[in-house]
Amino acid sequence: MFELSESTRMIQDMVRQWCDRKLRPSLPLLDSGELLPYDLMRDMARALGIADMARMAATARMQKLREKEQAGGSEPAGVAVTEGGGDFADPMIMMVVTKELSRCSPGFTTSWGVSAGLAGAAVLTKGTADQIERYGLGLVSFEKIGAWCLTEPGAGSDAFGSMRTTARPDGDDYVLNGQKTFITNGPYADYFIVYARIARGQAREDMPVSAFILEKGMPGFEQGKPFDKMGMKDSPTGEIFFDNVRVPRENLLGGVEKPEGRKDTKESLGNERSGIPAMAWGIIEECYERSKNYALERKQFGRAIGEFQAIQLDLADMYVKLKNVENIVFRTAYMQKKGIRDAAFISATKAYASQMAVDCAMKAIQIHGGYGYMEEYHVAKLARDAKLLELGAGTTHINYLTAARAELGLL
């Protein structure tokens, strides 16, 4: 359970080699915004075979849904999204891919994960056969870029209670009005999964929440410019605006309004949170290995700084945190493979792993001294990027509270 298979190690090596060959040399341009991450995402998907496997899985689900529709069934067919996905159907494979990308660029990992893992997965798991064909195939193969749009300027941790974006039914369309913010890939995405309240004149708190698929260029739909952020600079983030955007009814995710729309959204949030420990694993592993090597190379007072007890204590602390987060990832992959959902575990481990990533990145800077504060030593970038893990997909405080409430049966 706590050891990578030979095939997983091979994929790990492939991803690391691709990062060294393509991603690391591009980091300065990505961080400056001169280069967008999307062509690199497509290159990676082709090089690793992810695009072909994802299309196979999506096509299998689409065909099963069509068979169900032709047979007169109203419920989605019981076919796993990973069917036909080859090696990448194993959750641990995707954890390792996420880890390796995050060693190099957590921002790149974020854009990649949101496009395929949130937007693409939402279409595959909740969409109709026609929606999978029209939008899902392009998203999972990275031919198109996706965004997942929940957060609003006044609706962060209270995403549902404070949501003000509305979709008013009007004939065969819905008319969307509102705004979303902190949207990964927002400035450049092609397809958007947008959550809105269905407005039929009732009080706002009584309006159900549903998801819609929007396309770039729809009249009244505006994509804002990229934000200037502290970290994750290689992951474009921005606002999007809806001014009487007419969305056809067939673009309602799943084809029908669902009273359990909030439940579907929380499942997507849970999937996002489950990927954060793998990102933290990559950040911590890179910081630890760089710090260990630097401690052996850097000499002061006539000997390597790794011989000083203070440095040894910091390295030992980083090692313990690395192994803790690594074990969390193995257990998360095991639970996903078995179909086990544990809200307390997902929220608590997301919060813990995020904190450990920030702590180890700061320790790496301290061990590197003044050099650690310089961008070319990479640990500075990892420290800037790591902080977002404590903020996105629910803040650390919110996730710990969610874990406690789940354990107390209060959710």
Side-chain angles (χ1 to χ4, degrees):
M1 179 178 174
F2 295 101
E3 184 177 7
L4 296 180
S5 66
E6 183 177 349
S7 62
T8 306
R9 289 184 185 278
M10 289 176 60
I11 292 174
Q12 176 178 260
D13 291 342
M14 288 170 59
V15 179
R16 188 170 299 188
Q17 290 168 14
W18 181 85
C19 287
D20 290 341
R21 190 173 67 254
K22 294 291 186 75
L23 187 53
R24 286 190 191 276
S26 302
L27 288 181
L29 291 176
L30 288 167
D31 253 11
S32 69
E34 295 178 58
L35 178 68
L36 296 176
Y38 307 118
D39 283 341
L40 281 168
M41 287 161 55
R42 296 180 182 107
D43 183 273
M44 183 192 74
R46 288 192 299 267
L48 301 180
I50 295 175
D52 290 339
M53 290 183 183
R55 287 185 69 91
M56 288 172 60
T59 300
R61 179 164 174 82
M62 180 179 69
Q63 290 172 346
K64 290 287 186 180
L65 284 169
R66 289 230 163 96
E67 290 171 7
K68 189 76 172 181
E69 291 167 0
Q70 291 170 2
S74 58
E75 295 296 321
V79 57
V81 174
T82 51
E83 184 172 312
D87 285 336
F88 288 90
D90 181 355
M92 196 60 206
I93 297 289
M94 296 314 299
M95 295 293 186
V96 166
V97 172
T98 300
K99 185 260 288 188
E100 287 300 317
L101 293 175
S102 299
R103 284 176 57 118
C104 185
S105 172
F108 180 88
T109 313
T110 300
S111 278
W112 169 72
V114 167
S115 186
L118 281 179
V123 177
L124 260 62
T125 58
K126 310 298 180 186
T128 64
D130 287 343
Q131 289 171 348
I132 292 173
E133 182 174 29
R134 183 173 178 180
Y135 302 107
L137 293 177
L139 286 172
V140 299
S141 62
F142 296 95
E143 293 172 10
K144 300 292 184 179
I145 301 301
W148 193 79
C149 313
L150 176 65
T151 301
E152 299 182 5
S157 296
D158 185 19
F160 296 112
S162 300
M163 183 182 292
R164 295 189 175 278
T165 297
T166 59
R168 176 177 54 83
D170 184 25
D172 292 331
D173 299 331
Y174 290 85
V175 180
L176 263 66
N177 282 284
Q179 177 182 356
K180 300 290 182 178
T181 194
F182 302 140
I183 303 304
T184 298
N185 299 329
Y188 304 107
D190 301 294
Y191 302 146
F192 301 76
I193 307 299
V194 178
Y195 292 86
R197 290 184 176 277
I198 306 297
R200 288 190 169 88
Q202 69 270 56
R204 186 167 59 86
E205 59 270 18
D206 295 327
M207 297 177 186
V209 174
S210 284
F212 297 83
I213 306 173
L214 270 67
E215 298 183 48
K216 182 177 186 176
M218 282 181 159
F221 178 33
E222 181 182 350
Q223 296 169 252
K225 295 180 180 179
F227 290 143
D228 186 10
K229 301 175 294 184
M230 168 184 165
M232 300 281 191
K233 291 178 177 290
D234 33 11
S235 174
T237 306
E239 295 176 292
I240 55 176
F241 306 89
F242 316 106
D243 183 10
N244 291 321
V245 181
R246 299 193 73 86
V247 182
R249 185 171 294 272
E250 59 263 28
N251 281 44
L252 183 66
L253 185 63
V256 294
E257 294 178 20
K258 296 181 180 180
E260 68 274 16
R262 294 189 182 196
K263 178 177 176 289
D264 289 348
T265 311
K266 288 179 179 179
E267 285 181 4
S268 294
L269 277 171
N271 293 336
E272 182 181 11
R273 289 169 181 169
S274 295
I276 297 297
M279 293 183 67
W281 181 19
I283 292 170
I284 297 169
E285 187 175 81
E286 181 83 0
C287 286
Y288 174 70
E289 290 181 3
R290 284 178 175 269
S291 297
K292 183 175 65 173
N293 292 336
Y294 186 80
L296 293 171
E297 296 167 359
R298 176 69 168 170
K299 289 183 170 55
Q300 290 292 284
F301 304 101
R303 50 184 172 152
I305 63 171
E307 296 183 30
F308 295 113
Q309 193 175 61
I311 301 296
Q312 293 172 358
L313 291 173
D314 277 348
L315 286 171
D317 183 68
M318 292 173 72
Y319 177 80
V320 171
K321 289 167 179 172
L322 170 62
K323 292 304 172 183
N324 282 344
V325 172
E326 183 179 309
N327 288 338
I328 285 170
V329 175
F330 272 97
R331 182 173 176 182
T332 300
Y334 171 81
M335 291 168 63
Q336 289 180 349
K337 195 167 187 177
K338 296 293 184 180
I340 301 170
R341 291 195 70 86
D342 184 335
F345 179 83
I346 290 171
S347 293
T349 53
K350 183 274 179 189
Y352 174 81
S354 300
Q355 288 180 304
M356 297 307 100
V358 172
D359 183 77
C360 288
M362 297 308 292
K363 274 189 168 62
I365 290 176
Q366 192 68 32
I367 290 171
H368 281 76
Y371 290 105
Y373 204 64
M374 303 296 113
E375 289 294 342
E376 60 264 31
Y377 271 69
H378 195 54
V379 291
K381 172 180 172 53
L382 293 177
R384 289 188 287 105
D385 289 358
K387 186 59 187 175
L388 185 64
L389 301 190
E390 289 194 297
L391 305 175
T395 65
T396 296
H397 287 156
I398 287 294
N399 274 285
Y400 276 135
L401 287 173
T402 299
R405 289 168 181 165
E407 285 293 285
L408 292 168
L410 299 177
L411 286 182

